[in-house]
Amino acid sequence: MERYVAFDIGDKRIGVAISDPFNTYALPSQTYFRKNFKEDLAALARIASEKGATTIVCGLPVNFDGTPALQTEKTQRFIDELKKCVSVPIVCEDERFTTQMAHDTLISEGMRREKRKNYVDALAAANILDGFLAKIKNKE
């Protein structure tokens, strides 16, 4: 049985989401606050293992028009190193608008700004994973 774990990789925080048991939708799981490159890689590998990931989905930030951004290169470098730390496949998913959608959701729920930073990245990861799961469903 497939189990997807998604990461929304940022400079300060990494959002984590997991698929439901039937891979129909994504559940925000947690926000990991970054420490240093090596520790971050080990933590994400551990999280993926604990969640039983069979595939990891990483959000890849690109410009509005789909071209690579400065953040694309930084994130890709992190993903390339993460691939060396895990034994499951890693796929990249376009993450355009996922963080903005997460902010909009939390604002509409009346969540205060200082509290949002604890949730927004996990919700963005869930948006990334939902996009990925929708693609899989469309292929079936």
Side-chain angles (χ1 to χ4, degrees):
M1 167 67 96
E2 285 285 337
R3 184 59 172 258
Y4 299 99
V5 172
F7 295 129
D8 177 35
I9 303 163
D11 289 334
K12 294 180 179 156
R13 299 178 305 271
I14 298 173
V16 181
I18 59 171
S19 60
D20 73 296
F22 305 103
N23 296 316
T24 50
Y25 58 88
L27 302 160
S29 175
Q30 68 193 81
T31 300
Y32 170 78
F33 290 82
R34 294 188 71 164
K35 293 160 185 67
N36 63 59
F37 198 78
K38 193 173 179 184
E39 214 174 314
D40 298 344
L41 289 169
L44 292 197
R46 190 171 50 253
I47 290 167
S49 176
E50 287 168 359
K51 303 285 185 200
T54 57
T55 300
I56 296 170
V57 180
C58 290
L60 197 60
V62 292
N63 288 318
F64 184 70
D65 64 1
T67 59
L70 174 66
Q71 197 66 26
T72 311
E73 194 177 311
K74 287 169 67 176
T75 303
Q76 188 63 61
R77 199 168 31 246
F78 187 88
I79 293 167
D80 290 343
E81 289 303 311
L82 183 60
K83 285 178 179 178
K84 298 173 187 174
C85 303
V86 297
S87 58
V88 298
I90 296 179
V91 296
C92 293
E93 180 71 17
D94 183 345
E95 70 166 43
R96 273 179 287 184
F97 312 115
T98 56
T99 300
Q100 187 58 51
M101 286 169 31
H103 273 291
D104 292 347
T105 299
L106 296 174
I107 289 168
S108 73
E109 291 176 1
M111 188 176 287
R112 298 169 64 98
R113 177 189 298 249
E114 57 274 5
K115 206 172 172 192
R116 282 198 306 262
K117 73 177 177 199
N118 294 319
Y119 298 99
V120 72
D121 301 292
L123 197 51
N127 290 336
I128 291 165
L129 186 52
D130 274 331
F132 177 80
L133 293 173
K135 279 187 187 171
I136 290 174
K137 260 184 243 138
N138 288 339
K139 285 181 183 171
E140 292 172 357

